[in-house]
Amino acid sequence: MSEFFGSIWWLIVSLGILVTFHEFGHFWVARRCGVRVLRFSVGFGKPLWLRRGRDGTEYAIAAIPLGGYVKMLDEREGPVPPELAAQAFNRQPVWKRIAIVVAGPLANLVLCVGLLWAMFVIGRPDYAPVLGHTEGLAAAAGLHGGDTVLAVGDRATPTWSEVQLALLPAALDRRDVAVRVHRRDGGESTYELRLSQLPKGFDERRAVEAIGLTPRHLLVPAVIGRVAPGTPAWGVLAEGDRITAIDGEPVATWDDIPPLLQKLGERGGPAMIEVARKDERLALEIAPARMKRPDDGREYWGLGVAAARAQEPAKDAVLRYGALAAVPAAFAETAHQSRELLAMIGRAFTGRVSVQNTVAGPITIARAANAGAQQGPAWFLTILAMLSLSLGILNLLPIPILDGGHLLYYLIELVKGSPVSERVMAAGQYVGLALIAGLMGLAFYNDIVNNLVR
């Protein structure tokens, strides 16, 4: 399945599950509060399948599989027979209406816990949190390649993904954080990563890179993939050569090469480049030359070679718990991610992070769902859990037409002792529609910029 069609399919599956579960929360609590539910629909539009239950509710599967809805008996939406008036939503005490409204987002939080539990039990394959190369703030803090990150702050980091998730909020807040590692030479140490010194305007999507950390699994082997004509390497080095040493200094990865060439160029003159070529070990004399980077025009000392395309390394770590241990772990992770999501919303509203990197549209969601599905069930469950959590929390924002907006009206009603006037509710609907339209427009814009333009 191509990425395009795969993304569409997994978007439909994801939204279908999440929104249907959300609406089921409203449905389940409404029924238990004595409210008559007219229709529970999976999807929108014309029903492809329709059945009326003994309770009088129509259960439908509709043509547009992007969510669903629950339609309740309500005197504000049409005439209600007198004998059924007591079952109308608008006739219920305010506490019942609050319970029905909150049930949808709460269902998404429950679903998030369940999905994370399943992910922990299945086991999510990942990369070990081993550093491959450090520079900048990471090197200044004392971190070295080969160190294994055990914790960032008070959050344990059993996998590299956990390292990234722990470092991102600290980087966005430019907050210094302690990093506990198992050193490459044995023993444990804790270093202070001074993220308060991150430069202004760094790429928030590449926070770990800006800190100066490269994980071991992203290190590029020192294998030549291309030799440019007319350069010092032309006719000397060949595609497939693995550079093992430069001027007597050992080379383990491609990142080791630039500083050695810089040192050699400043010294001047040729040096021996040792390479492994098939079954041979060769020592070849070569001198670097000044070259210009095609992206920014900066000069550097180089040979005129490019790295071979590296294959994705195999996962070497698994995030897994037993069935019982996964229960508290799922609750703890849901609570942690809820706090982080609320903090991210706060950063966006206060301008501390770019809304371009915080508001995602359907293209981004579709690609994330497809990428998660391609990596296996545990990763897809992780993506689904985070989407469910986002849907639940965002629906609680006090924006009219969202569940949080209705909840706000009912809380005002509790305080003042009478319902909010229809005029105020109508005005709120217009404001809510404008806000949602603006958010959707921003989400689509971010999708275009982040996925199609770049």
Side-chain angles (χ1 to χ4, degrees), residues 418-442:
S418 61
V420 176
S421 68
E422 291 187 7
R423 183 177 179 181
V424 171
M425 291 187 68
Q429 295 290 333
Y430 285 116
V431 172
L433 285 171
L435 288 172
I436 295 300
L439 285 173
M440 290 179 63
L442 177 61

Side-chain angles (χ1 to χ4, degrees), residues 44-58:
F44 299 100
K46 184 178 180 180
L48 301 177
W49 176 86
L50 183 67
R51 184 180 70 84
R52 184 182 296 275
R54 294 180 181 179
D55 53 7
T57 301
E58 291 181 340

Side-chain angles (χ1 to χ4, degrees), residues 243-252 256 260 263 272 274:
I243 300 177
T244 58
I246 295 177
D247 199 24
E249 296 286 344
V251 171
D256 295 333
L260 293 177
K263 180 180 177 182
M272 303 305 294
E274 299 175 37

Side-chain angles (χ1 to χ4, degrees), residues 223-229 233 238-240 254 304-308:
V223 177
I224 298 174
R226 183 177 61 84
V227 180
E239 295 182 9
W254 196 265
V305 294

Side-chain angles (χ1 to χ4, degrees), residues 210-234:
I211 294 169
L213 292 174
T214 302
R216 181 180 62 185
H217 63 272
L218 289 185
L219 291 179
V220 178
V223 177
I224 298 174
R226 183 177 61 84
V227 180
T231 62
W234 183 252

Side-chain angles (χ1 to χ4, degrees), residues 349-427:
F349 274 107
T350 57
R352 284 183 290 158
V353 297
S354 171
V355 292
Q356 181 176 326
N357 298 325
T358 55
V359 181
I363 297 177
T364 300
I365 294 173
R367 295 184 67 178
N370 182 54
Q374 299 308 312
Q375 294 185 71
W379 274 103
F380 181 67
L381 290 173
T382 301
I383 297 295
L384 206 57
M386 295 302 100
L387 290 175
S388 185
L389 180 65
S390 299
L391 180 62
I393 290 180
L394 294 177
N395 253 286
L396 287 174
L397 293 178
I399 299 176
I401 83 169
L402 295 181
D403 292 330
H406 294 295
L407 181 61
L408 177 63
Y409 291 148
Y410 301 147
L411 292 176
I412 294 174
E413 181 180 340
L414 275 177
V415 173
K416 67 190 290 283
S418 61
V420 176
S421 68
E422 291 187 7
R423 183 177 179 181
V424 171
M425 291 187 68

Side-chain angles (χ1 to χ4, degrees), residues 190-316:
T190 299
Y191 303 97
E192 186 177 28
L193 202 51
R194 305 188 68 81
L195 302 185
S196 56
Q197 298 179 4
L198 276 170
K200 292 182 178 180
F202 75 92
D203 191 341
E204 297 161 358
R205 293 166 301 176
R206 297 181 176 179
V208 174
E209 200 174 306
I211 294 169
L213 292 174
T214 302
R216 181 180 62 185
H217 63 272
L218 289 185
L219 291 179
V220 178
V223 177
I224 298 174
R226 183 177 61 84
V227 180
T231 62
W234 183 252
V236 181
L237 301 177
E239 295 182 9
D241 285 353
R242 180 168 62 84
I243 300 177
T244 58
I246 295 177
D247 199 24
E249 296 286 344
V251 171
T253 69
W254 196 265
D255 289 334
D256 295 333
I257 297 175
L260 293 177
L261 292 180
Q262 177 71 21
K263 180 180 177 182
L264 181 59
E266 292 173 352
R267 191 199 70 186
M272 303 305 294
I273 307 294
E274 299 175 37
V275 302
R277 180 179 297 172
K278 296 182 180 179
D279 296 329
E280 295 182 283
R281 298 279 179 171
L282 305 176
L284 306 170
E285 189 177 72
I286 190 171
R290 296 294 288 174
M291 299 180 178
K292 288 187 177 181
R293 301 184 189 277
D295 51 352
D296 56 17
R298 289 193 302 170
E299 290 190 345
Y300 68 101
W301 290 99
L303 300 176
V305 294
R309 180 175 296 181
Q311 295 182 345
E312 182 178 358
K315 302 287 198 305
D316 55 359

